[in-house]
Amino acid sequence: VQDFWQRWHITLSTFLRDYLYIPLGGNRLGPGRTRVNLMLTMLLGGLWHGAGWTFIVWGGIHGVGLAFERWRRDRPGYAEPRDTRTRRIVMRLITFNVVCLAWIFFRADSFASAWDIITGLFTGWGQASPLVTGGVMLAIAVGIGSQYLPARFPYALMDRFGRLPVLGQAAVLAVALMLTNTMGPE
């Protein structure tokens, strides 16, 4: 979760750090107080987004994630696990799911609607959503899969695309759009 906050919405992360976390004492007052400061910072960040309990829960979920990571690292005798490809994938999946759970509360009008969404994730498998088409699933798969390509690959692909004439670029994009639309509902 800490890595997520260092990479996502950097302006908000910097604001929360500089104007809430550090004035609360940051990590200068011991490990227990550091976790409390993380939790308070995220709760106040949720309140800053909107004066509603669902926003506070959003901040609380992020606060619990950050405090848990800090607690785990601060334990006596803790040694950072080896950085393996499998560990990175598992940690990304966990972070993705924690962040998505928090976003349910961020977008929900009430706890009842948030609960409806959460229960629908586990029980609403009867009918396909008209928004989830084959094209959307393909776009998601390509986006996720591209994260695991060698670093030079996207640049080489974009470099080749950039060297195409404007009409060639338009043709490539048109074909991509047609493929996306043909994978939609009948």
Side-chain angles (χ1 to χ4, degrees):
V1 177
Q2 179 182 357
D3 192 44
F4 168 79
W5 276 99
Q6 288 173 345
R7 296 170 189 260
W8 179 78
H9 205 325
I10 295 169
T11 308
L12 177 62
S13 301
T14 303
F15 173 83
L16 292 174
R17 183 195 67 210
D18 292 350
Y19 293 101
L20 293 175
Y21 180 69
I22 291 174
L24 285 169
N27 59 2
R28 296 183 310 269
L29 303 173
R33 182 58 195 235
T34 298
R35 293 188 292 271
V36 168
N37 291 342
L38 286 167
M39 193 70 196
L40 284 172
T41 298
M42 296 312 297
L43 288 170
L44 290 169
L47 188 60
W48 179 80
H49 275 88
W53 286 106
T54 56
F55 290 107
I56 294 171
V57 169
W58 170 83
I61 290 170
H62 284 281
V64 166
L66 290 168
F68 175 77
E69 286 178 353
R70 188 60 65 103
W71 168 81
R72 200 183 95 225
R73 252 194 336 230
D74 289 346
R75 290 179 304 155
Y78 174 77
E80 186 70 31
R82 266 183 350 118
D83 186 30
T84 63
R85 184 177 179 92
T86 303
R87 183 174 187 280
R88 278 191 305 246
I89 290 170
V90 168
M91 296 309 289
R92 286 175 184 169
L93 285 171
I94 291 169
T95 301
F96 175 79
N97 283 289
V98 168
V99 169
C100 285
L101 174 68
W103 274 332
I104 291 171
F105 288 95
F106 188 87
R107 292 297 301 145
D109 296 335
S110 65
F111 286 119
S113 61
W115 185 249
D116 288 344
I117 293 168
I118 292 168
T119 56
L121 289 172
F122 299 99
T123 62
W125 294 90
Q127 296 178 356
S129 169
L131 300 175
V132 181
T133 64
V136 169
M137 296 303 289
L138 177 64
I140 291 169
V142 167
I144 291 172
S146 69
Q147 301 297 309
Y148 297 97
L149 293 172
R152 68 186 183 284
F153 182 79
Y155 297 109
L157 192 62
M158 290 306 294
D159 186 47
R160 282 187 174 182
F161 180 77
R163 282 189 256 145
L164 288 173
V166 173
L167 288 176
Q169 291 178 9
V172 168
L173 293 174
V175 168
L177 283 172
M178 285 189 293
L179 287 173
T180 302
N181 283 335
T182 60
M183 297 180 154
E186 302 299 317

